[in-house]
CSV table of all heavy atoms in Angstrom, one decimal:
chain,number,residue,atom,x,y,z
Y,440,PHE,N,-4.2,45.2,-14.9
Y,440,PHE,CA,-3.9,46.0,-13.7
Y,440,PHE,C,-5.2,46.0,-13.2
Y,440,PHE,O,-6.0,46.8,-13.5
Y,440,PHE,CB,-3.5,47.4,-14.1
Y,440,PHE,CG,-3.7,47.6,-15.5
Y,440,PHE,CD1,-4.9,48.1,-15.9
Y,440,PHE,CD2,-2.8,47.4,-16.4
Y,440,PHE,CE1,-5.1,48.3,-17.2
Y,440,PHE,CE2,-3.0,47.6,-17.7
Y,440,PHE,CZ,-4.1,48.1,-18.1
Y,441,GLY,N,-5.5,45.1,-12.5
Y,441,GLY,CA,-6.9,45.1,-12.0
Y,441,GLY,C,-7.0,46.3,-11.1
Y,441,GLY,O,-6.5,46.4,-10.0
Y,442,GLY,N,-7.4,47.2,-11.5
Y,442,GLY,CA,-7.6,48.5,-10.9
Y,442,GLY,C,-7.0,48.8,-9.5
Y,442,GLY,O,-6.7,47.9,-8.8
Y,443,GLY,N,-6.9,50.0,-9.3
Y,443,GLY,CA,-6.5,50.5,-8.0
Y,443,GLY,C,-5.4,49.7,-7.4
Y,443,GLY,O,-5.5,49.0,-6.5
Y,444,GLY,N,-4.3,49.7,-8.0
Y,444,GLY,CA,-3.2,48.9,-7.5
Y,444,GLY,C,-2.9,49.3,-6.1
Y,444,GLY,O,-3.4,50.2,-5.5
Y,445,MET,N,-2.0,48.6,-5.6
Y,445,MET,CA,-1.7,48.8,-4.2
Y,445,MET,C,-1.0,50.0,-3.9
Y,445,MET,O,-0.1,50.4,-4.5
Y,445,MET,CB,-0.8,47.7,-3.9
Y,445,MET,CG,-0.8,47.0,-3.0
Y,445,MET,SD,-0.5,46.3,-1.7
Y,445,MET,CE,0.4,47.2,-0.8
Y,446,GLY,N,-1.5,50.6,-3.0
Y,446,GLY,CA,-0.7,51.8,-2.4
Y,446,GLY,C,-0.3,52.7,-3.5
Y,446,GLY,O,0.9,53.0,-3.6
Y,447,GLY,N,-1.1,53.2,-4.3
Y,447,GLY,CA,-0.7,54.1,-5.3
Y,447,GLY,C,-0.3,55.4,-4.7
Y,447,GLY,O,-0.9,55.9,-3.8
Y,448,ASP,N,0.7,55.9,-5.3
Y,448,ASP,CA,1.0,57.3,-4.9
Y,448,ASP,C,0.0,58.2,-5.5
Y,448,ASP,O,-0.7,57.9,-6.4
Y,448,ASP,CB,2.4,57.7,-5.4
Y,448,ASP,CG,3.4,56.8,-4.9
Y,448,ASP,OD1,3.1,56.1,-3.9
Y,448,ASP,OD2,4.5,56.7,-5.4
Y,449,SER,N,0.0,59.3,-4.9
Y,449,SER,CA,-1.0,60.3,-5.4
Y,449,SER,C,-0.5,60.7,-6.8
Y,449,SER,O,-1.2,61.0,-7.7
Y,449,SER,CB,-1.1,61.5,-4.5
Y,449,SER,OG,0.2,61.9,-4.1
Y,450,ASP,N,0.8,60.8,-6.9
Y,450,ASP,CA,1.3,61.2,-8.2
Y,450,ASP,C,1.6,59.9,-9.0
Y,450,ASP,O,2.7,59.5,-9.1
Y,450,ASP,CB,2.5,62.0,-8.0
Y,450,ASP,CG,3.5,61.3,-7.1
Y,450,ASP,OD1,3.1,60.4,-6.4
Y,450,ASP,OD2,4.7,61.7,-7.2
Y,451,LEU,N,0.5,59.4,-9.4
Y,451,LEU,CA,0.8,58.1,-10.0
Y,451,LEU,C,0.9,58.1,-11.5
Y,451,LEU,O,0.3,57.3,-12.2
Y,451,LEU,CB,-0.4,57.2,-9.6
Y,451,LEU,CG,0.0,55.7,-9.6
Y,451,LEU,CD1,1.2,55.5,-8.8
Y,451,LEU,CD2,-1.1,54.9,-9.0
Y,452,SER,N,1.5,59.1,-12.0
Y,452,SER,CA,1.7,59.1,-13.4
Y,452,SER,C,2.9,58.2,-13.6
Y,452,SER,O,3.8,58.1,-12.9
Y,452,SER,CB,1.9,60.5,-13.9
Y,452,SER,OG,2.9,61.1,-13.1
Y,453,THR,N,2.8,57.5,-14.7
Y,453,THR,CA,3.8,56.5,-14.9
Y,453,THR,C,5.2,57.0,-15.0
Y,453,THR,O,6.2,56.4,-14.6
Y,453,THR,CB,3.5,55.8,-16.2
Y,453,THR,OG1,2.2,56.0,-16.6
Y,453,THR,CG2,3.9,54.3,-16.1
Y,454,SER,N,5.3,58.2,-15.4
Y,454,SER,CA,6.6,58.8,-15.6
Y,454,SER,C,7.4,58.8,-14.3
Y,454,SER,O,8.6,58.7,-14.3
Y,454,SER,CB,6.5,60.2,-16.2
Y,454,SER,OG,5.5,60.9,-15.5
Y,455,GLU,N,6.6,59.0,-13.3
Y,455,GLU,CA,7.3,59.1,-12.0
Y,455,GLU,C,7.9,57.8,-11.5
Y,455,GLU,O,8.7,57.8,-10.6
Y,455,GLU,CB,6.4,59.7,-11.0
Y,455,GLU,CG,5.5,60.8,-11.5
Y,455,GLU,CD,5.8,62.1,-10.7
Y,455,GLU,OE1,6.7,62.1,-9.9
Y,455,GLU,OE2,5.1,63.1,-11.0
Y,456,ARG,N,7.4,56.8,-12.1
Y,456,ARG,CA,7.9,55.6,-11.6
Y,456,ARG,C,8.4,54.8,-12.8
Y,456,ARG,O,7.7,53.9,-13.3
Y,456,ARG,CB,6.9,54.8,-10.8
Y,456,ARG,CG,6.7,55.4,-9.5
Y,456,ARG,CD,5.7,54.6,-8.7
Y,456,ARG,NE,4.3,54.8,-9.3
Y,456,ARG,CZ,3.5,53.8,-9.4
Y,456,ARG,NH1,3.8,52.6,-9.1
Y,456,ARG,NH2,2.3,54.0,-10.0
Y,457,PRO,N,9.5,55.1,-13.2
Y,457,PRO,CA,10.0,54.5,-14.4
Y,457,PRO,C,10.2,53.0,-14.2
Y,457,PRO,O,10.0,52.2,-15.1
Y,457,PRO,CB,11.4,55.1,-14.6
Y,457,PRO,CG,11.8,55.7,-13.2
Y,457,PRO,CD,10.5,56.0,-12.6
Y,458,SER,N,10.5,52.6,-13.0
Y,458,SER,CA,10.7,51.2,-12.8
Y,458,SER,C,9.4,50.4,-13.1
Y,458,SER,O,9.4,49.3,-13.6
Y,458,SER,CB,11.1,50.9,-11.4
Y,458,SER,OG,10.2,51.4,-10.5
Y,459,SER,N,8.3,51.0,-12.8
Y,459,SER,CA,7.1,50.2,-12.9
Y,459,SER,C,6.6,50.3,-14.3
Y,459,SER,O,5.8,49.4,-14.7
Y,459,SER,CB,6.1,50.7,-11.9
Y,459,SER,OG,5.9,52.1,-12.1
Y,460,THR,N,7.0,51.2,-15.0
Y,460,THR,CA,6.4,51.3,-16.4
Y,460,THR,C,7.2,50.4,-17.3
Y,460,THR,O,8.0,50.9,-18.1
Y,460,THR,CB,6.5,52.8,-16.8
Y,460,THR,OG1,6.2,53.6,-15.8
Y,460,THR,CG2,5.5,53.0,-18.0
Y,461,ARG,N,6.8,49.3,-17.3
Y,461,ARG,CA,7.4,48.4,-18.3
Y,461,ARG,C,6.4,48.2,-19.4
Y,461,ARG,O,6.8,47.9,-20.5
Y,461,ARG,CB,7.8,47.1,-17.7
Y,461,ARG,CG,8.8,47.2,-16.6
Y,461,ARG,CD,9.0,45.8,-16.0
Y,461,ARG,NE,7.8,45.3,-15.4
Y,461,ARG,CZ,7.0,44.4,-16.0
Y,461,ARG,NH1,7.3,44.0,-17.2
Y,461,ARG,NH2,5.9,44.0,-15.4
Y,462,ILE,N,5.2,48.2,-19.0
Y,462,ILE,CA,4.2,47.8,-20.0
Y,462,ILE,C,4.0,49.0,-20.9
Y,462,ILE,O,3.7,50.1,-20.5
Y,462,ILE,CB,2.9,47.4,-19.2
Y,462,ILE,CG1,3.2,46.3,-18.3
Y,462,ILE,CG2,1.9,47.0,-20.3
Y,462,ILE,CD1,3.0,46.5,-16.9
Side-chain angles (χ1 to χ4, degrees):
Chain Y
F440 10 89
M445 228 254 13
D448 299 343
S449 48
D450 52 341
L451 205 52
S452 47
T453 338
S454 49
E455 317 242 5
R456 284 180 293 139
S458 60
S459 54
T460 319
R461 299 177 297 99
I462 298 116

